Amino acid sequence: MITIANEWLRAEISPAGAELKSLKRLEGQHEYLWSADPQYWAKTSPVLFPIVGALKDDTYHYEGRSYRLPRHGFARDKPFDGKLVSPTEAAFTLTDSEETRAVYPFAFQLTLRYRLEGHSITCTYEVRNPSDSQPLLFSIGAHPAFAAPAREGGPAYSDYFLEFPGDEALVCHKLEGNLVSAHTETIALDEHRRLPLRHDLFYADALVLKTLRSKTIILGNTINDRGITFHHEGFSYFGIWAAKDADFVCLEPWCGIADHVGHRQQLEEKEGIQRLEAGDSWTRSWSVNCF
């Protein structure tokens, strides 16, 4: 585990999947991330690469060949090369290998950088195409799980809310067998543009959003003043999810999305696919301000 810290926050990141495992406020030792209780969901913040969501039949076609990838790809289960850049910044890098090329025939370098500044942590995804001739086709997404703990004398899960300053309602695309369908559901927000959390919101899987306007989302509760402000820029899609009856919520900005139920499985036609030309680089970031 690699630890970065400043006078307000401490973060722990595992080289296994470059996964943020803990984000703690030093004053009072308040933990903002989910505990990874395996009874519900044993992860905390996996990176989704080189696909987001599921492929139709777990299969895609590229240049006349067929390949198989599991939901959300393979990066979350790979060992990254991690290093401490400074006391407040760490970087983790994964490059292609014979093993990855068997299921994903592209050269790539994926780096995740975590940096603390004040009461915030920023996670930056850097994708580089080291090829001198072949384009790199990929999707990438975040999946951080934030604790919404129910405690005796404290808030219940239903006391937590997500606030969307730029939206009056959420238009959710329903999933069918892990694939995006043409059916949508509109979830109204209250007069404060808030969505109160309920466990049954996620019984049918994630809320998949293609038209979210809010670039800042607040997770708070009506009992105390603890929470986060989540900021994301440059991501075309957004997911909100929790495991069944678990006391957390995932806020997931995505550059990419699961296959549509009618997709032809051609990688170049995949909705949200990113194309990076030979020698080029690509970056996106999300951040969390803790209060």
Side-chain angles (χ1 to χ4, degrees), residues 5-38:
N6 62 16
E7 57 185 303
W8 292 286
L9 297 174
R10 182 174 66 245
E12 296 180 357
I13 309 104
S14 171
E19 186 173 5
L20 181 64
K21 303 299 290 185
S22 175
L23 178 60
K24 190 171 287 187
R25 186 187 185 103
L26 295 182
E27 181 186 356
Q29 296 294 299
H30 180 78
E31 177 63 68
Y32 289 92
L33 282 190
W34 161 243
S35 64
D37 183 346

Side-chain angles (χ1 to χ4, degrees), residues 3-206:
T3 300
I4 55 176
N6 62 16
E7 57 185 303
W8 292 286
L9 297 174
R10 182 174 66 245
E12 296 180 357
I13 309 104
S14 171
E19 186 173 5
L20 181 64
K21 303 299 290 185
S22 175
L23 178 60
K24 190 171 287 187
R25 186 187 185 103
L26 295 182
E27 181 186 356
Q29 296 294 299
H30 180 78
E31 177 63 68
Y32 289 92
L33 282 190
W34 161 243
S35 64
D37 183 346
Q39 179 182 347
Y40 298 97
W41 189 56
K43 291 187 176 294
T44 51
S45 185
V47 57
L48 316 181
F49 179 90
I51 60 169
V52 171
L55 298 169
K56 187 176 182 179
D57 299 326
D58 294 328
T59 301
Y60 69 92
H61 309 306
Y62 182 69
E63 294 189 335
R65 292 190 58 187
S66 297
Y67 301 89
R68 293 181 63 82
L69 281 175
R71 191 180 192 189
H72 296 323
F74 52 68
R76 59 183 178 166
D77 298 315
K78 298 293 184 186
F80 282 63
D81 180 19
K83 64 178 181 180
L84 195 63
V85 177
S86 75
T88 57
E89 183 176 351
F92 300 81
T93 298
L94 176 69
T95 56
D96 62 284
S97 64
E98 183 177 345
E99 182 181 21
T100 66
R101 287 190 295 270
V103 294
Y104 179 64
F106 298 94
F108 70 87
Q109 179 178 293
L110 169 63
T111 300
L112 273 66
R113 295 185 181 274
Y114 294 93
R115 179 173 55 87
L116 293 176
E117 185 174 1
H119 295 87
S120 298
I121 186 169
T122 298
C123 176
T124 299
Y125 300 138
E126 300 175 358
V127 182
R128 187 175 72 86
N129 182 356
S131 172
D132 57 9
S133 59
Q134 185 187 27
L136 171 59
L137 303 180
F138 71 96
S139 295
I140 193 167
H143 204 310
F146 299 101
R151 297 190 177 97
E152 185 176 352
Y157 191 72
S158 58
D159 293 319
Y160 289 87
F161 59 81
L162 295 174
E163 183 175 325
F164 300 87
D167 295 88
E168 295 178 354
L170 304 179
V171 179
C172 306
H173 289 255
K174 292 191 173 184
L175 295 173
E176 295 179 4
N178 294 329
L179 305 181
V180 179
S181 75
H183 304 294
T184 62
E185 175 188 7
T186 299
I187 300 176
L189 304 178
D190 69 16
E191 65 273 19
H192 304 293
R193 302 196 175 195
R194 292 176 175 178
L195 173 67
L197 291 185
R198 310 188 317 270
H199 287 126
D200 63 0
L201 276 172
F202 311 108
Y203 283 0
D205 212 326

